[in-house]
Amino acid sequence: MDVRRRSINSPPSTSAGEPLNLKSHKLSHPLYLTNALFFSLFFSVSYFLLHRWREKIRTSTPLHVVTLSEIAAILSFIASVIYLIGFFGIGFIHPITSRASSDDELELDDDVDAIIAKDNSPIPLSQDDEEIVKSVISGSIPSYSLESKLGDCRRAAVIRREVVQRSTGRSLEGLPTEGFDYDSILGQCCEMPIGYVQIPVGVAGPLLLDGAEYTVPMATTEGCLVASTNRGCKAIYVSGGASSSLLRDGMTRAPVVRFSTVKRAAQLKFFLEDPLNFDSLSVVFNKSSRFARLQSIQCAMAGKNVYIRFTCSTGDAMGMNMVSKGVQNVLDFLQDDFPDMDVIGISGNFCSDKKAAAVNWIEGRGKSVVCEAIIKEEVVKKVLKTNVEALVELNMLKNLTGSAMAGALGGFNAHASNIVSAIYIATGQDPAQNVESSHCITMMEAVNNGKDLHISVTMPCIEVGTVGGGTQLASQSACLNLLGVKGASKESPGANSRLLATVVAGAVLAGELSLMSAISAGQLVRSHMKYNRSSRDVSKVVS
């Protein structure tokens, strides 16, 4: 993997776009002048030395007898040869030529770091803001009410940040506040903000899935993850691509209600599961949204308590709020026929949200997707550096048998959670739903007389949306736009969220393929030691 530092040929710029006046800006002189100088020097001294050599042979002068001009020519010749070897990319000379430039580059880094630190320095507060800070610390103004009192979300974040620093005695230097639209999260994404955390976003791909190419954004701080997924995408691409099937699409919510007797609880269960009552219940449920459509009702009893699992389609939204509103409508409707019903909670964990649960693994939640690909034998050997037989055996002993030995629930895979989390953070999904969304079983078998590899991932609980929540933030919206699934589908409601779910499954397929190959070939530790270790002394930056 070719990792490059930022270019030193063009000086860094400030946020206003003006070039920085750095001491090491002398490095940005035109490189073509240096190249021309050494090329000219090389040919000139070569001609001169050849001419002198011929003269000595003609006059029978010993070759080891040299004049001062010949010594200078020889030294110039050596210098130009060293430069030209580096120019043409001969590897062994790079450590020699890079030492001098690395010192200048570090000097450039130090200057840039100093300017960045200056830009991130605390913003001086006005007298009015100082008074507000003191009022919040004293308790006369609640911290959560700053946005409504000030009418300025950014100002509220800056003041709250200062309050936190003074109250805790801990510095928040390094946590940026500038450059973020705090109005966009008000009442929707995050309460009482004091800044934002920067997570790098990489891309893997192109992922060839169902005949279309996708560049997959992944937000992560784990080294090798994007590179590994990218290698899996390459193996899938050169093998003809992957295909997917969406089996189910339905979000769930399961309230818990209680009766005074088991008999009465059973009567509600029979009523809800009677097909004759489903249409009337659907009408009540569907009033909550123009996209919500009730699909099924499943009941379970524990004594005199009834757990009612509603499943409905939610368009392009992930749909938790939508289904909750529909459930509330039905509970209000049922209260007429079952006035003795005591609603304990709108969620009774039979849903089950943000928890590993067998009901999700078996019944599904959100989007249920299966994705498969056939990887050719030569691709397994040349791109993945392993063989089909080793991969099939490793998958059986690791992902299937090993996970069974561990008592895994939905965890019959190598690292599906890695890819799901990275895509979820990049595209504004709820990262906590990674718990059930990462339920995955990876299957591998040899096909075509044992030459090629068939790999598939089955994921019954991919919970994603392309509208609502964090998807409307600028950065996350840009990542959704990169995939072509931004916002709601106008032609077919729900199409964008379903497409996003299949892309998640396809990326998981690529990640599983690459990691399993690395383990099979014994490359896992070497890769992390090579690419997941920084040589930069970060202690200087921190101090």
Side-chain angles (χ1 to χ4, degrees), residues 170-199:
R170 302 281 185 177
S171 172
L172 288 173
E173 183 180 357
L175 181 69
T177 54
E178 297 302 309
F180 188 80
D181 182 11
Y182 293 95
D183 292 324
S184 65
I185 64 173
L186 182 63
Q188 182 162 330
C189 293
C190 179
E191 297 75 41
M192 296 193 290
I194 59 172
Y196 60 97
V197 174
Q198 297 167 313
I199 301 178

Side-chain angles (χ1 to χ4, degrees), residues 390-401:
L391 276 174
V392 172
E393 182 181 30
L394 176 64
N395 186 72
M396 180 187 67
L397 295 179
K398 171 182 166 64
N399 289 341
L400 304 182
T401 308

Side-chain angles (χ1 to χ4, degrees), residues 125 343 457 501:
L125 299 178
V343 179
V457 292

Side-chain angles (χ1 to χ4, degrees), residues 489-508:
S489 172
K490 297 180 180 179
E491 294 78 16
S492 176
N496 282 352
S497 62
R498 290 191 289 269
L499 177 56
L500 178 58
T502 61
V503 170
V504 171
V508 168

Side-chain angles (χ1 to χ4, degrees), residues 534 536-543:
S534 174
R536 187 177 182 184
D537 186 2
V538 296
S539 61
K540 295 180 180 179
V541 180
V542 174
S543 63

Side-chain angles (χ1 to χ4, degrees), residues 200-477:
V201 177
V203 290
L207 171 66
L208 183 57
L209 178 65
D210 297 323
E213 296 182 9
Y214 302 95
T215 300
V216 184
M218 302 174 66
T220 181
T221 56
E222 179 180 350
C224 294
L225 177 59
V226 178
S228 177
T229 307
N230 189 64
R231 182 174 77 146
C233 290
K234 178 182 178 182
I236 293 172
Y237 192 100
V238 296
S239 296
S243 60
S244 66
S245 295
L246 190 136
L247 307 179
R248 284 186 294 256
D249 180 10
M251 183 50 63
T252 64
R253 175 59 86 199
V256 53
V257 299
R258 182 172 57 194
F259 289 86
S260 57
T261 65
V262 171
K263 183 177 181 180
R264 189 66 172 148
Q267 288 175 353
L268 175 64
K269 181 180 185 298
F270 296 146
F271 177 85
L272 292 173
E273 293 181 345
D274 188 342
L276 298 177
N277 298 325
F278 184 80
D279 288 342
S280 58
L281 293 174
S282 295
V283 172
V284 175
F285 185 98
N286 296 345
K287 288 179 180 179
S288 62
S289 169
R290 59 195 178 101
F291 297 109
R293 294 295 178 268
L294 184 63
Q295 296 175 347
S296 64
I297 301 175
Q298 179 184 4
C299 296
M301 286 181 56
K304 56 185 181 179
N305 304 297
V306 184
Y307 296 82
I308 315 167
R309 194 171 193 258
F310 293 83
T311 304
C312 81
S313 59
T314 57
D316 282 305
M318 184 271 288
M320 285 298 302
N321 293 333
M322 191 183 301
V323 67
S324 296
K325 288 189 291 183
V327 167
Q328 188 62 57
N329 289 346
V330 174
L331 292 177
D332 295 339
F333 173 78
L334 292 173
Q335 208 77 56
D336 294 334
D337 293 326
F338 296 89
D340 53 337
M341 180 180 69
D342 184 14
V343 179
I344 304 301
I346 191 70
S347 175
N349 275 8
F350 189 47
C351 313
S352 175
D353 186 40
K354 301 171 185 175
K355 290 165 281 291
V359 68
N360 290 339
W361 178 241
I362 297 171
E363 298 292 336
R365 188 171 196 259
K367 278 73 173 171
S368 299
V369 182
V370 180
C371 190
E372 67 174 349
I374 295 179
I375 311 301
K376 298 177 181 178
E377 181 184 23
E378 58 268 26
V379 176
V380 174
K381 291 181 179 179
K382 294 180 180 179
V383 177
L384 303 176
K385 312 299 182 184
T386 184
N387 61 79
V388 174
E389 182 181 0
L391 276 174
V392 172
E393 182 181 30
L394 176 64
N395 186 72
M396 180 187 67
L397 295 179
K398 171 182 166 64
N399 289 341
L400 304 182
T401 308
S403 295
M405 293 293 292
L409 178 58
F412 299 91
N413 57 80
H415 71 148
S417 176
N418 256 336
I419 291 89
V420 171
S421 295
I423 298 177
Y424 272 28
I425 295 172
T427 58
Q429 311 304 313
D430 188 339
Q433 289 185 322
N434 164 70
V435 175
E436 64 269 34
S437 294
S438 296
H439 281 355
C440 172
I441 182 169
T442 301
M443 303 291 291
M444 295 185 186
E445 64 176 291
V447 295
N448 299 331
N449 296 322
K451 293 183 178 180
D452 302 331
L453 174 74
H454 180 276
I455 178 174
S456 67
V457 292
T458 303
M459 305 180 69
C461 318
I462 301 179
E463 300 165 345
V464 293
T466 58
V467 296
T471 64
Q472 51 89 31
L473 299 178
S475 301
Q476 290 81 346
S477 180

Side-chain angles (χ1 to χ4, degrees), residues 1-5 203 222-231 526-533:
M1 183 172 64
D2 185 15
V3 181
R4 294 183 174 86
R5 301 176 66 116
V203 290
E222 179 180 350
C224 294
L225 177 59
V226 178
S228 177
T229 307
N230 189 64
R231 182 174 77 146
R526 288 201 303 270
S527 297
H528 277 274
M529 293 303 295
K530 182 176 180 180
Y531 296 117
N532 199 20
R533 293 293 183 271

